[in-house]
Amino acid sequence: MADAPLALLAELTHRCPLRCPYCSNPAELTRASAELSTAEWARVFNEAAALGCLQIHLSGGEPTARRDIVEIVAAARAAGLYTNLITAGVLLDAPLMGRLVEAGLDHVQLSVQDAEEAGAERIGGMKGAMAKKRVAAALVTASGLPLTLNAVVHRQNLHNLPRLIEIALEWGAGRIEVAHVQYYGWALANRAALLPTRAQLDEATRIVEAARAAHRGRLVIDYVVPDYHAARPKACMGGWGRRFLGVSPAGNILPCHAAESITGMAFPNVRETSLAAAWGESPAFNAFRGTGWMPEPCRGCEHAERDWGGCRCQAFALTGDAAATDPACALSPHHGMLAEALAEAGETSFRYREFR
């Protein structure tokens, strides 16, 4: 059996007031009627703790869209898990913040779509969102909880990266995650409008490195780069089924938060299977775990136990085969697909995330 997962991503709901065109939720969104109940989530948290998880990331959609979010936080704390709320902040008010703190919330990760109100409204599809996020950040810091800002960056907002870093400082965040869009699901549908140029990527990297030096000891900057300019793949999620465990709103147990984008692959469900059984025994988790599944040229590659074959969701999205060599690798026979996508980039309109 693989080592214990370090963290559980609990996708509590797909409901969200925002409509971000790079949303990591699957194209087919789960309705509220199919979501796990409070009691079911509490059982999941206890199983996660027994399995060895230390942290719980409460996500969505927008997790505060659930009326039982306070009870869910309390259940995670009762299970002994460090609780991180990943939120857009637009539904967070002072009474709710107080109840979440009382329930045992440990940390808040707040998303921002752009540094300017007009850009944030265009990307997120919600008027007034930036002002609500500013209020939410103030509520978090006033409560004494640590705040992380999550800035998803792409072709349409990278020019505002310096200002996004300034906002993190102004709002009292101790950390900012500058995360380039990863292309599957909704982001894949909007790839031509989101893919940055190489010049944009190089400038973003320069800005991040300079800001790290300037704000060392005050602001931690995590930086996630896109694969489309790469010659080597990333160790996606630390390797399939090695570090990460996710549960979807309807209870599917996932080795990657985007794994449901691999159509035709069956995943165990918490209503039928324990987390421990899913982690250790399910075909889905073992399908791409380790190196034995790898095709050439991955098999025997000196990087095989560093990148673990790269991203299976990306391989499927681009080639139709989840077992194919990640096209981000220069040795992949499909590597040219990335250059083709970059050449086609430059659209300005979005296809927004929506229930269908």
Side-chain angles (χ1 to χ4, degrees):
M1 181 172 175
D3 292 341
L6 299 178
L8 169 70
L9 177 70
E11 293 188 308
L12 303 179
T13 182
H14 283 157
R15 289 172 284 150
C16 184
L18 301 184
R19 303 168 58 215
C20 301
Y22 50 74
C23 181
S24 62
N25 288 160
E28 295 298 326
L29 300 171
T30 299
R31 299 284 176 175
S33 59
E35 293 172 2
L36 296 181
S37 67
T38 315
E40 286 173 320
W41 276 118
R43 176 172 56 79
V44 168
F45 299 156
N46 286 326
E47 289 184 10
L51 187 57
C53 287
L54 302 176
Q55 302 176 5
I56 178 79
H57 301 286
L58 303 171
S59 182
E62 173 48 53
T64 60
R66 286 196 57 137
R67 295 180 180 179
D68 59 350
I69 184 60
V70 174
E71 290 76 15
I72 285 174
V73 169
R77 168 51 71 91
L81 298 168
Y82 180 93
T83 55
N84 174 39
L85 179 69
I86 303 174
T87 177
V90 296
L91 302 180
L92 195 60
D93 58 19
L96 178 56
M97 188 73 238
R99 292 170 61 213
L100 289 169
V101 172
E102 186 176 351
L105 186 64
D106 292 301
H107 183 274
V108 175
Q109 187 171 327
L110 178 66
S111 68
V112 288
Q113 282 64 48
D114 202 347
E116 300 172 347
E117 185 72 51
E121 289 182 359
R122 176 173 174 264
I123 295 166
M126 179 182 179
K127 290 188 177 298
M130 196 67 176
K132 294 179 183 292
K133 291 172 184 289
R134 188 180 300 109
V135 170
L139 290 171
V140 173
T141 56
S143 75
L145 293 187
L147 172 67
T148 292
L149 223 60
N150 182 33
V152 179
V153 294
H154 46 80
R155 191 183 194 97
Q156 307 287 330
N157 68 0
L158 270 169
H159 61 285
N160 282 328
L161 179 55
R163 179 61 187 142
L164 285 166
I165 294 172
E166 289 177 1
I167 287 173
L169 291 164
E170 292 171 7
W171 289 7
R175 179 184 298 269
I176 181 172
E177 180 178 305
V178 178
H180 284 266
V181 169
Q182 306 299 303
Y183 295 95
Y184 37 70
W186 296 94
L188 184 63
N190 287 288
R191 186 177 64 183
L194 296 170
L195 267 175
T197 65
R198 182 57 194 242
Q200 283 183 306
L201 174 59
D202 290 345
E203 177 63 4
T205 302
R206 185 197 66 77
I207 289 168
V208 166
E209 290 175 351
R212 280 173 169 167
H215 305 302
R216 185 173 290 113
R218 167 63 186 84
L219 182 68
V220 175
I221 305 178
D222 294 330
Y223 188 48
V224 180
V225 299
D227 286 335
Y228 278 64
H229 293 282
R232 295 228 48 87
K234 298 191 296 288
C236 187
M237 309 307 297
W240 181 281
R242 295 190 70 250
R243 299 286 185 181
F244 175 86
L245 187 67
V247 176
S248 76
N252 283 342
I253 309 170
L254 307 171
C256 162
H257 64 284
E260 287 178 299
S261 66
I262 304 176
T263 57
M265 194 167 196
F267 298 99
N269 190 282
V270 299
R271 289 170 170 148
E272 302 166 351
T273 307
S274 70
L275 292 189
W279 179 257
E281 303 166 15
S282 77
F285 275 78
N286 286 309
F288 306 116
R289 183 178 266 156
T291 60
W293 62 273
M294 291 181 178
E296 297 292 349
C298 302
R299 183 170 297 166
C301 175
E302 62 178 315
H303 301 284
E305 294 190 9
R306 296 179 211 163
D307 59 39
W308 300 104
C311 180
R312 296 302 88 218
C313 300
Q314 181 162 267
F316 181 80
L318 295 179
T319 74
D321 180 5
T325 299
D326 188 339
C329 181
L331 299 178
S332 166
H334 305 288
H335 188 63
M337 299 179 74
L338 305 188
E340 292 172 5
L342 289 166
E344 295 168 358
E347 293 289 330
T348 56
S349 60
F350 294 134
R351 174 189 166 194
Y352 289 97
R353 171 195 187 275
E354 59 185 352
F355 278 98
R356 294 198 298 269

